[in-house]
Amino acid sequence: MKSYISTRGKTEPHTFSKAVATGLAPDGGLFLPEALPDISSQLNAWIDLPYPELCFEFFKIFATDINPKTLKYLIDKSYAKFTHPEIAPLKQLDKKLFVLELFHGPTLAFKDFALQLLGNLYEEQIRQTGHPLNILGATSGDTGAAAIHGLLGKRGVNIFILYPNGRISNLQERQMTCTGSENVFPLAIEGSFDDAQKALKETFEDLDFRNHFYLSAVNSINLARILAQCVYYIFAWLKLPNDLKDNVEFVVPTGNFGNILAGWLAQKMGLPVKSFKAATNQNDILYRLFKTGEYKLDKVQPSLAPSMDIQMASNFERFLYYSEGQDSVRVTEIISKIKSTGNYNFENFNRDIFTTSRTNDDEIFQIIKEIHKKYNYIVDPHTACGFKDINNDMTSIVLSTAHPAKFPETITEAIGIEPKSDILEELKELKIIKYPIIAEKIAIQNFIKDHAV
Ligand SMILES: *Cc1c(COP(=O)(O)O)cnc(C)c1O
């Protein structure tokens, strides 16, 4: 049976299901497969598979402790609520320029790919163990909504989501707070996403509390999320015309480094992709890292692409684990240095595989206008960052991470057209229910105590 280890090396290997249920490893690290499989010889056989079947073939390799029939059922159910028949349609804008639309799920952002599945994995876990689960997450916008919709109305599980009050879009907030569902608790904190993330980590580091309430994480650190996100990279690559398959760059609007990391893992497993571009907004820690080798924390500046307003990219630790030669002691040292001093200098940093770009708010506007004019195609502000400095020598696949209708103000200002979505229109009629809270461990624990399953 495959096992899963922690980047910090102080957690005994877990089964797939246990690693998923646990979220953050008890030693504070992130779970990874003990060894990565080689999928390259299977790619040909996967070429015509519909999305859920490809996902099943891929997960079979990892979720070896789940009965295949059950696994198939959980995966089919996870993608049944997507509104596009292809689930992740690949659209060609130009000869060598493609957009992979990842916004056809229930909350209209790419996070549905992982969180619909994670919700069903949790439900199965609860069914098998008989234990309830309390899920805690932090969001800069889309994760919370996607997590909530992955767990909406499920039995035996309550979900608590911290988010920075006033710093996410009105519609993003409505997606979390207008569910009318009794197992959902949106917690509005004063501060930034990083403040929320920090309070969340501290709450998890209290092992007694965590065990007592069967607390699990739903933010981008969960192993199942990363694996679910590998699938659309494979799917997209398989859909490319044969003559464009050799020299491919995926362009990924990046914040927490979860999405791009999944692509990079797929490459390490044998998907023949040349490079990945980390497209940041003005919060450019990863841009600076990939340009200079220096990881240096800065203040978060709210932008038009709020789901990328991040400085501490939590999934970076998984990348570090491999780039430091799977040496968990080094990983632990580097992370603690970054935590205490706010920066770290990487020597011998391999910059061939990751390219990078940075887009400020003015440029986001310009790009939305240009793409609309040139291709009659509307991109949301996050996706817009992906269109900066496209490398024309390569086949570029830009990941479209959100539906433009989630950001109507920006789009309308840029091109004079208001993008619409029926799902979002219906939300406008419903009542907002949220719980203001201080971003501190004690306050969060007290709230959970009062509202746990
Ligand atoms: C979460 C999110 C991102 C950033 O993804 P990461 O995995 O955090 O790098 C980009 N765009 C949108 C719309 C998102 O919701």
Side-chain angles (χ1 to χ4, degrees):
M1 185 175 292
K2 272 229 166 320
S3 54
Y4 296 85
I5 48 148
S6 161
T7 47
R8 307 236 178 131
K10 296 236 158 60
T11 298
E12 80 284 9
H14 279 41
T15 62
F16 174 81
S17 297
K18 184 102 192 292
V20 170
T22 311
L24 187 70
D27 61 10
L30 309 184
F31 282 110
L32 279 169
E34 192 163 35
L36 292 178
D38 182 358
I39 59 169
S40 54
S41 62
Q42 278 161 285
L43 291 171
N44 263 341
W46 290 351
I47 202 155
D48 290 323
L49 294 183
Y51 195 90
E53 287 182 38
L54 176 66
C55 184
F56 173 63
E57 291 301 321
F58 183 75
F59 263 81
K60 251 189 354 197
I61 306 171
F62 298 94
T64 47
D65 62 340
I66 300 180
N67 170 312
K69 273 212 181 98
T70 307
L71 183 63
K72 181 82 172 61
Y73 166 77
L74 297 175
I75 288 173
D76 285 347
K77 196 160 97 171
S78 303
Y79 297 102
K81 284 192 203 150
F82 281 59
T83 53
H84 195 287
E86 286 167 51
I87 312 291
L90 182 67
K91 302 224 162 133
Q92 186 165 20
L93 293 187
D94 218 326
K95 206 158 158 274
K96 289 160 88 179
L97 177 62
F98 295 79
V99 188
L100 182 64
E101 291 184 350
L102 300 176
F103 54 69
H104 297 287
T107 71
L108 312 182
F110 86 87
K111 297 192 170 77
D112 289 325
F113 277 83
L115 289 170
Q116 286 292 311
L117 181 57
L118 189 61
N120 288 321
L121 288 169
Y122 279 140
E123 194 176 39
E124 174 62 17
Q125 180 90 20
I126 294 164
R127 198 180 66 80
Q128 285 199 4
T129 62
H131 292 311
L133 276 179
N134 289 293
I135 307 293
L136 178 63
T139 186
S140 56
D142 291 326
T143 312
I148 284 168
H149 285 263
L151 290 169
L152 214 57
K154 290 203 191 307
R155 281 199 305 182
V157 51
N158 279 0
I159 174 162
F160 304 85
I161 295 289
L162 299 161
Y163 71 96
N165 202 20
R167 298 205 192 176
I168 66 174
S169 85
N170 179 276
L171 284 169
Q172 284 177 325
E173 183 172 46
R174 283 195 170 273
Q175 287 186 311
M176 290 197 282
T177 58
C178 299
T179 65
S181 188
E182 284 179 5
N183 69 336
V184 173
F185 300 92
L187 306 178
I189 66 140
E190 291 310 320
S192 70
F193 170 68
D194 285 344
D195 296 329
Q197 184 92 329
K198 191 161 161 277
L200 173 101
K201 272 213 151 191
E202 284 167 11
T203 307
F204 272 107
E205 277 160 12
D206 182 341
L207 291 188
D208 287 342
F209 183 84
R210 181 171 155 187
N211 293 337
H212 184 79
F213 287 101
Y214 295 103
L215 210 59
S216 183
V218 79
N219 58 7
S220 52
I221 61 187
N222 197 294
L223 170 77
R225 285 190 63 183
I226 299 296
L227 294 176
Q229 292 172 179
C230 293
V231 177
Y232 47 72
Y233 287 92
I234 304 169
F235 186 74
W237 185 84
L238 289 170
K239 290 278 169 294
L240 282 174
N242 274 335
D243 59 332
L244 294 179
K245 274 189 166 128
D246 284 340
N247 193 22
V248 176
E249 174 162 272
F250 277 101
V251 183
V252 189
T254 292
N256 238 321
F257 207 67
N259 199 2
I260 195 166
L261 178 96
W264 182 71
L265 283 179
Q267 185 203 42
K268 282 183 85 66
M269 295 176 207
L271 187 70
V273 174
K274 277 272 156 53
S275 60
F276 295 88
K277 188 195 276 175
T280 74
N281 63 19
Q282 64 200 17
N283 295 290
D284 60 354
I285 183 167
L286 294 170
Y287 172 84
R288 287 182 280 116
L289 171 72
F290 290 124
K291 284 284 183 203
T292 67
E294 189 184 23
Y295 192 85
K296 188 162 184 281
L297 295 179
D298 205 343
K299 270 228 171 68
V300 177
Q301 298 170 11
S303 80
L304 291 175
S307 296
M308 291 154 56
D309 289 349
I310 283 160
Q311 287 293 338
M312 278 281 266
S314 47
N315 268 293
F316 183 66
E317 183 166 339
R318 284 191 164 103
F319 170 69
L320 204 58
Y321 177 77
Y322 292 104
S323 70
E324 296 300 316
Q326 314 197 15
D327 179 344
S328 358
V329 177
R330 291 261 316 142
V331 171
T332 311
E333 277 167 19
I334 294 172
I335 294 290
S336 85
K337 170 111 200 307
I338 292 174
K339 268 198 179 155
S340 59
T341 65
N343 80 56
Y344 192 84
N345 248 313
F346 290 91
E347 291 153 23
N348 311 322
F349 197 66
N350 179 353
R351 278 169 234 150
D352 296 342
I353 294 174
F354 288 101
T355 61
T356 187
S357 68
R358 168 178 60 190
T359 309
N360 66 28
D361 279 358
D362 287 345
E363 293 168 322
I364 288 177
F365 263 115
Q366 286 314 317
I367 290 171
I368 294 170
K369 273 189 201 163
E370 264 170 47
I371 299 294
H372 183 246
K373 198 165 152 209
K374 202 161 169 195
Y375 304 116
N376 195 24
Y377 187 80
I378 302 179
V379 289
D380 96 287
H382 301 80
T383 307
C385 297
F387 283 89
K388 177 95 183 270
D389 303 336
I390 289 288
N391 181 346
N392 295 318
D393 296 335
M394 305 183 82
T395 301
S396 292
I397 301 181
V398 178
L399 269 52
S400 180
T401 52
H403 193 293
K406 288 189 93 166
F407 306 93
E409 293 87 2
T410 307
I411 307 289
T412 309
E413 204 178 326
I415 59 172
I417 298 171
E418 185 177 345
K420 287 248 158 87
S421 137
D422 293 344
I423 295 179
L424 295 178
E425 289 309 303
E426 287 164 18
L427 285 180
K428 291 180 184 164
E429 311 301 319
L430 304 174
K431 190 166 163 238
I432 290 182
I433 298 176
K434 63 176 173 180
Y435 305 85
I437 195 167
I438 320 171
E440 279 172 11
K441 177 175 121 180
I442 300 296
I444 294 166
Q445 290 189 340
N446 284 336
F447 189 91
I448 294 174
K449 271 182 204 155
D450 291 343
H451 298 90
V453 209

